[in-house]
Amino acid sequence: MTDPTGFSFEITARDGAARTGLITTPRGHIRTPAFMPVGTQATVKGMYMDQVKALGADVILGNTYHLMLRPGAERVAALGGLHQFGGWKGPILTDSGGFQVMSLAKLRKLTEQGVTFASHIDGSRFELTPERSIEIQGLLGADIQMQLDECVSLPNDRATIEKSTHLSLRWAERSKRAFETQPKGRALFGIVQGGDIPDLRVESAKALTDMDFPGYSIGGLAVGEPQAVMLAMIETVMPHLPDAKPHYLMGVGTPDDLLGAVACGVDMFDCVMPTRNGRHGQAFSRFGKINFRNARHAADPRPIDEASSCPAARDYSRAYLHHLIRTEEMLGSMLVTWINLAYYQDLMAGARAAIAAGRYADYAAEVREGWARGDIEPMAV
Amino acid sequence: MTDPTGFSFEITARDGAARTGLITTPRGHIRTPAFMPVGTQATVKGMYMDQVKALGADVILGNTYHLMLRPGAERVAALGGLHQFGGWKGPILTDSGGFQVMSLAKLRKLTEQGVTFASHIDGSRFELTPERSIEIQGLLGADIQMQLDECVSLPNDRATIEKSTHLSLRWAERSKRAFETQPKGRALFGIVQGGDIPDLRVESAKALTDMDFPGYSIGGLAVGEPQAVMLAMIETVMPHLPDAKPHYLMGVGTPDDLLGAVACGVDMFDCVMPTRNGRHGQAFSRFGKINFRNARHAADPRPIDEASSCPAARDYSRAYLHHLIRTEEMLGSMLVTWINLAYYQDLMAGARAAIAAGRYADYAAEVREGWARGDIEPMAV
């Protein structure tokens, strides 16, 4: 049911396990399956927010870890919140900071209470507890927030994964309690952990379902395991999550990962891949990956994809993109990032339309055929 | 007289030595006094060409040295020329490559014939002669081209400056001859040299005037000498250049340099300062220079200038710009570059209007008062 003053999710069509729908927040709708561009430090790297919006993105992600370090959550709140600060007026989802604390911060000390760490920038000390993570996300004004969790790397031993999964469940309860004071309309998601161990994943999903969250994230995947293991874990977890709630696969992934996960019933994604790879000249396209550093583009006057709705893919020659990337010009990073975010949005728009038309399997097969066919041979000039 | 198929210059108003006018090229008009954004490597760093155009820039500059190295003049020509390659449809002016060979290249060897050097990027060997420089600028398709000259640093001894000035005059003749085969409508400018020695400057200006160029550049200034010396050299040269032809002061300068030089009758400028300083967070504004690295902006919710026509100056808080510059986000460089190019264009638009209204001295005084008043005190939040 849609509550215009609150957070809700409506599934509008199904095709196998895949589904398309609409998340409603007070700041606007999110069409699912949705890819969320990553706005780590209150900016989607190399993009103007109006470009991001024009690509069809309904929601962006902000990183609690980075924002608590610079400029600081209290500072953002004093400046009117993250929407006002960064200029993105639609819904914003924030992570809990846990993943970056584990991957970036130094001198970490993890206890039942939370984690203390030193900033990777200047060594200053911080503490992140479930309560502080929720407080920070509240100060940022995030529309969709994440419980604090612990995310272990894979492969790992059962004892480590089990201990971490149980800790994350206790932190889910504390996060939920801390979230109760926040304004109506915001949503807190629980995060399924359990590494690559099916029974731990199921235990986590069931326990979180009992806590009754408005949405469920699947965390701790795409951390080094094969894609098959990732998809198997999603399939293991899905039957134990409420069907009527949104399912968010955190930090994933390649276009192929997205196609696979949508087929399993995932509704939301985020990943740095389109922006990070774009900065370094690797484009995602209907014809697969294209590396603009490659000399084969040097004399090619054609755009990457004249049929694209994205000006960056349509109005600039491959030779020019190659030149900009080779000379390390900012505009090269800007254009390939733009191309990639456009491709990810188009991929999700295609998925939504295909699910609504009951032909998602055909759509996924056609998209994969395009990648397999590969990029067209360069034209000589 | 305006020849729609060719190159011409019409002075539309005068105010003291200052003048405002219109250069006509087959690719469009250039309103003077004009500031030309620098597009070193076929891109104005951090800007989309449509943004540059929207700021009111009529012409951009391309660098022969950089473009001959990467992607190469023959490559650009094969791809349809620099306008097609970089997406700037209006007039383009190119320098001769001489200045960058002297400041960037390695293993230089200068002879009467020209200069051989090694690329600063990969050490590969090149030769630049007056004929090759003009050939390259022709391959790029530049609308306004520069003779090859030798530019010496200041201070320097008379013998060195004199030798270099005379060499540049011989190269002017060779450049002019080489230019004769180029399509109608393009223009070649001679370049006045002579360091900081008045009689050499006058000799150079007279000799070039005798050669009858469609425009005259003043080179070899803003290379380390005080602003007063620069302005004195311009005043020394001006009476010896044809009044009816455009006067271009190369590589200059600060907003104050521009105000001073316009008063002397300079019509065209280029400088990397708005783009280079912008990348590092230093903005030019009606209130003087603003360094966004400075902590005083950290909590300031106000835009840099709400009255600006530039969205970057109007729609983003100082706190956000500070955050982006401190975190070295691309968007910070993009926004402050945009602010600076807008400011330079606005400064020239104001100069044109003031000259037309016969109040240029008042205009310059008002602008300088604004800088002297300085930036408004930060607001506490």
Side-chain angles (χ1 to χ4, degrees), chain A residues 41-42 45 48 320 323 329, chain B residues 41-42 45 51 320 323 329:
Chain A
Q41 302 191 118
K45 290 182 193 300
Y48 296 100
Y320 186 57
H323 166 71
E329 282 285 352
Chain B
Q41 302 191 117
K45 291 184 192 296
Q51 290 179 303
Y320 186 56
H323 166 70
E329 282 285 351

Side-chain angles (χ1 to χ4, degrees), chain A residues 41-43 45-48 51 70-71 75 79 85-86 279 298-299 301 316 319-320 323-324 326-327 329-331 333-335 338, chain B residues 41-43 45-48 51 70-71 75 79 85-86 279 298-299 301 316 319-320 323-324 326-327 329-331 333-335 338:
Chain A
Q41 302 191 118
T43 164
K45 290 182 193 300
M47 297 282 291
Y48 296 100
Q51 291 179 303
R70 297 185 300 192
R75 170 64 50 77
L79 289 161
F85 184 62
R279 280 200 299 290
Y316 298 84
Y320 186 57
H323 166 71
L324 293 175
R326 286 286 281 259
T327 54
E329 282 285 352
M330 252 196 287
L331 186 61
S333 294
M334 290 157 63
L335 289 172
W338 192 4
Chain B
Q41 302 191 117
T43 164
K45 291 184 192 296
M47 297 282 291
Y48 295 100
Q51 290 179 303
R70 298 185 300 191
R75 170 64 51 75
L79 289 162
F85 184 62
R279 281 201 297 290
Y316 298 85
Y320 186 56
H323 166 70
L324 293 175
R326 285 286 281 259
T327 54
E329 282 285 351
M330 252 195 288
L331 186 62
S333 294
M334 291 157 61
L335 289 172
W338 192 5

Side-chain angles (χ1 to χ4, degrees), chain A residues 171-184:
Chain A
W171 284 3
E173 283 178 348
R174 286 169 55 192
S175 297
K176 193 159 189 289
R177 218 152 36 234
F179 184 76
E180 281 165 8
T181 58
Q182 293 215 15
K184 185 170 159 58

